[in-house]
Amino acid sequence: MGAATVRLDPAFTVGPVRPRTFGSFVEHMGRCVYTGIYEPDHPGADELGFRTDVAQLVRELGVTVVRYPGGNFVSNYRWEDGVGPKADRPTQLDLAWRSVETNQVGTDDFVDWARGVGVEPMMAVNLGTRGLQEAIDLLLYCNAETGTAWPDRRAKNGHTEPHDIRVWCLGNEMDGPWQMGHKTAEEYARVAEETARAMRRIDEGLELVACGSSNRGMPTFGTWERVVLERCFDLVDHISAHAYYEPVDGDVDSFLASSEDMHRFIESVVATADHVATVKGSDKRIMVSFDEWNVWFQERFHGESSLEIREAPELIEDVYDVTDAVVVGSLLITLLQHTDRVSMACQAQLVNVIAPIATRPGGGAWRQTIFHPFALTAAYARGTVLRPAVHCDQVQTKAFGPVDQVVVTATHDPETGDLAVFVVNRSRTESAELTLDVAAAVGGHPTAYALVEHLQVHDDDTSASNTEAQPDRVTPRPGDAAVVGTDSTTLTATLPPTSWHCIRLTEGTVQ
């Protein structure tokens, strides 16, 4: 059995917990929209055609912001086709995923859904097959007061008040040759710069996200970020990062350590952005929008050209197991560990397509295994992210060399005194004995903590998954954490192999 000692002190912090860390992504891809969030013939559909069972799970998941409408889809999307009377909306061929797009869900519909489930909409514009003018038109349609053509059209379509969308993505993965309208860094930087300048002429207070690299393995990684930010630095607030993880060639040990790659990705993007700031003599800090991340078994996907043209096809509907849930939990830990520079993050996608929520057309909706670490982290990460001191054994990985067996982050809410600790044991074979030492001082007196709850995602069968027939085969279960010692500032727990944990404590002063 391994050992891990973690020392926490609320005086040592990383930064605030950012609600937008718990974002998601809805793309017109596969069954994410149609028979995912939207199915007007479903017995549980609301008056707008959205599934209420899915909406309930979205609220339970704790999603705060949702990126829309893509993704690769946005790079050949005509947003005008998705507004106005549904009977008048044209059916189009989406080139990104070779799908028939009925346009029965569009901008207004998505915003209505987002407001209904209590999430913030995050909008992407098409800088692939379209450009500056169409982006401006969409911004005016969404955010301008009535009195000119585009917002008047919005009002005619039933939305008199502006949608007031604050976060806008300047295209999607424009570095990727798979993207419709793929561009070099120089070409994209020029288009993004001019689009951002025009959008700020309409609303200076927008938050704009420039396209970063599609993944850390792109041949232009680093150079792309530098070139784009050299032109757009003063006009954008965030630069995007995307990453998906899977056990490459069956290497599960490295897969369980995927957060090492995410950590290095974030550090590299931050270093590049800060280099540009230094060269420009600026104190501005560009933030990272990690607006696509998840486990995705890409080796099972044979490419867009292999797809048969269909309407709302079943597409990359990966079924997740316990190992996948543990990896997702560790990626969330990494995002929190970088809360000083990661401003928002979107797990891709929300429903059916590599998603925490699965549905059957006309039938049920259920939680995949990866639902649980996301929901519990979103529910209990509050206040400030702490910087723990961790001493633990290591595990060997082919991709990353020796890595810590245990990864940890914690949050402290100074208003309530609540402490939430999120832990992963990423060894496949060895348990770890966790000793958590909480060193804090309130008014000069040591602070005692009472255990509220210890939940873990673990199963002796790491291949266990949830299905419509067995929706709770894998669900959070109690762990064995206990507060020990006379001063109640030490906690112990056993962390089984391949497990994710949420340990909650509440504060009380020792007399």
Side-chain angles (χ1 to χ4, degrees):
M1 178 181 291
T5 301
V6 178
R7 185 176 178 85
L8 296 175
D9 189 327
F12 294 92
T13 65
V14 180
V17 175
R18 300 181 188 274
R20 286 176 177 165
T21 301
F22 307 109
S24 191
F25 180 32
V26 166
E27 180 173 8
H28 286 249
M29 176 183 179
R31 296 196 308 114
C32 184
V33 174
Y34 305 110
T35 72
I37 65 170
Y38 179 80
E39 189 176 354
D41 295 331
H42 191 275
D46 64 15
E47 66 279 5
L48 298 177
F50 292 104
R51 288 184 57 153
T52 56
D53 56 347
V54 173
Q56 181 178 348
L57 289 176
V58 172
R59 296 186 188 99
E60 181 185 334
L61 186 61
V63 170
T64 54
V65 60
V66 175
R67 181 168 168 253
Y68 177 86
N72 296 352
F73 173 83
V74 76
S75 293
N76 74 139
Y77 180 50
R78 294 174 49 87
W79 68 267
E80 306 95 316
D81 292 344
V83 299
K86 294 195 175 192
D88 297 338
R89 299 181 189 181
T91 297
Q92 301 281 19
L93 174 63
D94 164 44
L95 301 180
W97 303 112
R98 289 172 54 85
S99 297
V100 175
E101 174 55 55
T102 65
N103 284 302
Q104 292 303 288
V105 172
T107 301
D108 293 324
D109 311 294
F110 170 74
V111 173
D112 286 341
W113 173 84
R115 303 300 191 203
V117 297
V119 304
E120 177 186 6
M122 175 181 180
M123 190 67 67
V125 299
N126 178 356
L127 295 186
T129 60
R130 310 184 88 184
L132 171 62
Q133 184 63 61
E134 292 84 2
I136 293 170
D137 292 346
L138 178 58
L139 176 59
L140 289 169
Y141 182 89
C142 288
N143 283 14
E145 299 285 349
T146 55
T148 56
W150 284 115
D152 283 355
R153 183 171 172 181
R154 181 194 69 234
K156 182 180 178 181
N157 291 336
H159 294 79
T160 303
E161 295 299 317
H163 293 319
D164 193 29
I165 298 170
R166 307 316 303 160
V167 183
W168 292 76
C169 302
L170 302 173
N172 173 76
E173 293 185 354
M174 300 308 300
D175 62 326
W178 57 83
Q179 202 72 210
M180 298 298 106
H182 160 63
K183 293 174 173 56
T184 66
E186 292 79 7
E187 291 167 340
Y188 170 73
R190 174 63 190 276
V191 173
E193 177 188 30
E194 296 304 327
T195 304
R197 180 175 289 111
M199 293 176 77
R200 291 211 181 278
R201 187 69 62 88
I202 297 168
D203 186 343
E204 181 63 31
L206 296 176
E207 293 185 56
L208 300 181
V209 184
C211 280
S213 294
S214 303
N215 60 73
R216 199 166 73 97
M218 294 296 290
T220 55
F221 177 58
T223 299
W224 177 279
E225 282 78 5
R226 175 184 59 78
V227 170
V228 169
L229 288 177
E230 282 175 347
R231 293 205 69 142
C232 299
F233 186 87
D234 294 324
L235 293 166
V236 302
D237 307 283
H238 319 267
I239 189 160
S240 69
H242 294 175
Y244 295 99
Y245 299 102
E246 64 181 322
V248 178
D249 297 327
D251 183 0
V252 179
D253 290 325
S254 295
F255 177 51
L256 282 164
S258 294
S259 58
E260 296 294 320
D261 179 86
M262 178 182 269
H263 164 74
R264 297 173 192 183
F265 196 166
I266 295 167
E267 292 281 295
S268 297
V269 173
V270 167
T272 305
D274 288 351
H275 165 75
V276 175
T278 299
V279 171
K280 290 180 173 290
S282 174
D283 293 329
K284 179 179 178 180
R285 290 293 176 258
I286 297 292
M287 303 295 281
V288 178
S289 174
F290 220 115
D291 47 43
E292 285 190 35
W293 68 270
N294 206 349
V295 171
W296 174 13
F297 296 94
Q298 296 184 68
E299 63 182 18
R300 302 174 187 171
F301 179 61
H302 300 297
E304 295 85 351
S305 296
S306 67
L307 300 175
E308 179 185 351
I309 296 175
R310 295 169 52 199
E311 180 181 331
E314 293 184 5
L315 183 60
I316 59 171
E317 297 192 9
D318 289 350
V319 176
Y320 293 114
D321 64 17
V322 171
T323 302
D324 304 325
V326 171
V327 171
V328 164
S330 70
L331 296 173
L332 284 162
I333 287 172
T334 302
L335 292 169
L336 288 170
Q337 289 172 335
H338 289 277
T339 193
D340 56 331
R341 295 305 294 269
V342 175
S343 53
M344 50 192 155
C346 299
Q347 188 186 41
Q349 294 184 18
L350 183 59
V351 186
N352 289 324
V353 179
I354 52 171
I357 299 171
T359 73
R360 182 169 60 83
W366 61 97
R367 306 165 191 81
Q368 290 232 59
T369 61
I370 65 171
F371 182 102
H372 298 297
F374 190 108
L376 288 169
T377 307
Y380 297 120
R382 293 289 183 270
T384 303
V385 180
L386 305 184
R387 193 182 300 277
V390 182
H391 299 279
C392 67
D393 295 338
Q394 293 191 316
V395 294
Q396 294 294 325
T397 68
K398 181 179 178 181
F400 309 110
V403 300
D404 284 352
Q405 178 181 353
V406 171
V407 289
V408 186
T409 193
T411 64
H412 178 253
D413 187 340
E415 294 185 4
T416 65
D418 291 345
L419 187 68
V421 185
F422 305 98
V423 191
V424 160
N425 178 4
R426 49 190 182 183
S427 170
R428 287 193 298 130
T429 58
E430 295 292 329
S431 296
E433 188 66 28
L434 173 69
T435 301
L436 179 66
D437 180 11
V438 180
V442 177
H445 298 286
T447 300
Y449 281 88
L451 178 66
V452 176
E453 187 177 42
H454 174 195
L455 292 174
Q456 62 181 356
V457 175
H458 166 72
D459 198 282
D460 290 338
D461 178 6
T462 57
S463 66
S465 61
N466 293 339
T467 63
E468 185 177 18
Q470 289 187 297
D472 296 318
R473 169 65 181 82
V474 178
T475 193
R477 304 187 190 284
D480 69 355
V483 174
V484 299
T486 57
D487 60 358
S488 298
T489 61
T490 303
L491 176 142
T492 61
T494 302
L495 313 178
T498 313
S499 60
W500 175 90
H501 303 259
C502 172
I503 302 171
R504 298 167 52 216
L505 301 101
T506 192
E507 188 177 291
T509 304
V510 175
Q511 301 298 324

